[in-house]
Amino acid sequence: MEIKERILEKAEALFWKFGTRSITMDDISRDIGISKKTLYQHFVDKDDIVYQVILYRMDKNRENVSCHISTAHDPIEEILLGSEMLRQQLSDMNPALMIDIQRHYPRAWEICTEFKEKFILESIRLNLRRGIEQGLYRSEIDVEIMARLRVELIRMAFDTDVFPKGLAAMIEVQIQLLHHFVRGILTEKGSIIYNQYVQKYQNVPASTTR
Amino acid sequence: MEIKERILEKAEALFWKFGTRSITMDDISRDIGISKKTLYQHFVDKDDIVYQVILYRMDKNRENVSCHISTAHDPIEEILLGSEMLRQQLSDMNPALMIDIQRHYPRAWEICTEFKEKFILESIRLNLRRGIEQGLYRSEIDVEIMARLRVELIRMAFDTDVFPKGLAAMIEVQIQLLHHFVRGILTEKGSIIYNQYVQKYQNVPASTTR
């Protein structure tokens, strides 16, 4: 791995864990074991690192999604695998990170927004259309409304105005919203296949006493 | 109907149709056919009218919901009837009204928020619990997460950031989100009953070519 990529991966790990605000150029160079001079040879400043980390992450995400689409057996497995990827990524993310980026790194935030609005939205649209064609999703669903709903659900799970902290773990919220979303679009044929995957992946929410 | 109630109903109709911003005390008194003096005997100013209209509307909504709960045969019919009520109310509402109130009438907005967060949220919680008890909703759903999701879905249909204007009629968005929500929580037993109601109420979204 070339040095620039190594810096991006290490910086990403630090941001994911601690947010962007508290991490300095010193922290990054110390963590990687390089001099600040080397760090500045590759990046103008911290803004630049945040921007390039996000760019790097979104590229990786695009690759991962394409990979999942090609390995999945059908649109239902595709949506479950894609969400599992998301879940893994979020599970070790500092919840303040996205808010930090939104407020303080407009260029990086633009990349996130574009990823969400263009790439994720379009991936979901395609998934829904394939599912309808294959008789797994109900043909009555409005693809555009449902695709935008799904994107909004991903965002919503982080929204402490909707799901106050302490109500439930964010991961549990994500899982509940995902499975509820999928169940809501399935045909009977789709339900049978979905139930097989639920047993396989076992990330279906546990019963709750609430 | 006493004069104050008549003013509230007429003012509500004007606000619903035109928003609050463009409607003056003159418009209201002219529309009802009373003098401005009479109007000012009952209300301090337009702020006061907006506040009392919202208070009046939320009281009516509470009554209507209680009425639906008592006439519905089961939790599924209850949720469909409640949403039909909402749909009727929204169908002739100026989309700018809620944004107007949020920005310019903080006291009235507080009443809306309280209604949403306390009354609607609690009604949905109770509905979900009843549905689970009766075997109509899946026992794996997290009542708190799903109740908050439903409240957020009602708001979301108005959100032009999520569903840009012209994408689909707001009513169509509401209907899609409602039926998707209900389908996502049903057991097999619930599905059978739900399908009967869908035919009865016929507010299920039509097939779309999109």
Side-chain angles (χ1 to χ4, degrees), chain A residues 117 129 132 138-146 148-149 152-153 155-156 159 161-164 167-169 172-173 176-177 179-186 194 204-208 210, chain B residues 117 129 132 138-146 148-149 152-153 155-156 159 161-164 167-169 172-173 176-177 179-186 194 204-208 210:
Chain A
E117 293 188 354
R129 287 201 198 107
I132 293 171
R138 290 182 297 112
S139 60
E140 297 83 24
I141 63 168
D142 182 312
V143 167
E144 194 59 33
I145 294 174
M146 286 297 123
R148 285 169 190 268
L149 168 63
E152 187 60 11
L153 291 172
R155 187 205 63 75
M156 197 195 291
D159 188 338
D161 286 340
V162 182
F163 300 109
L167 178 75
E172 174 68 14
V173 175
Q176 282 267 341
L177 297 185
H179 286 276
H180 174 264
F181 176 82
V182 176
R183 281 175 186 273
I185 59 176
L186 295 175
Y194 166 81
V204 74
S207 264
T208 169
R210 227 182 274 128
Chain B
E117 291 186 354
R129 288 200 197 105
I132 292 171
R138 290 182 297 112
S139 60
E140 296 85 22
I141 65 167
D142 182 310
V143 168
E144 195 58 32
I145 294 175
M146 287 296 124
R148 284 169 190 265
L149 168 63
E152 187 60 11
L153 290 173
R155 187 205 63 75
M156 196 194 291
D159 188 337
D161 286 341
V162 182
F163 300 108
L167 178 74
E172 174 67 15
V173 175
Q176 284 267 341
L177 297 184
H179 286 276
H180 174 263
F181 176 82
V182 175
R183 281 174 186 274
I185 59 176
L186 294 174
Y194 165 80
V204 73
S207 265
T208 167
R210 229 183 269 129

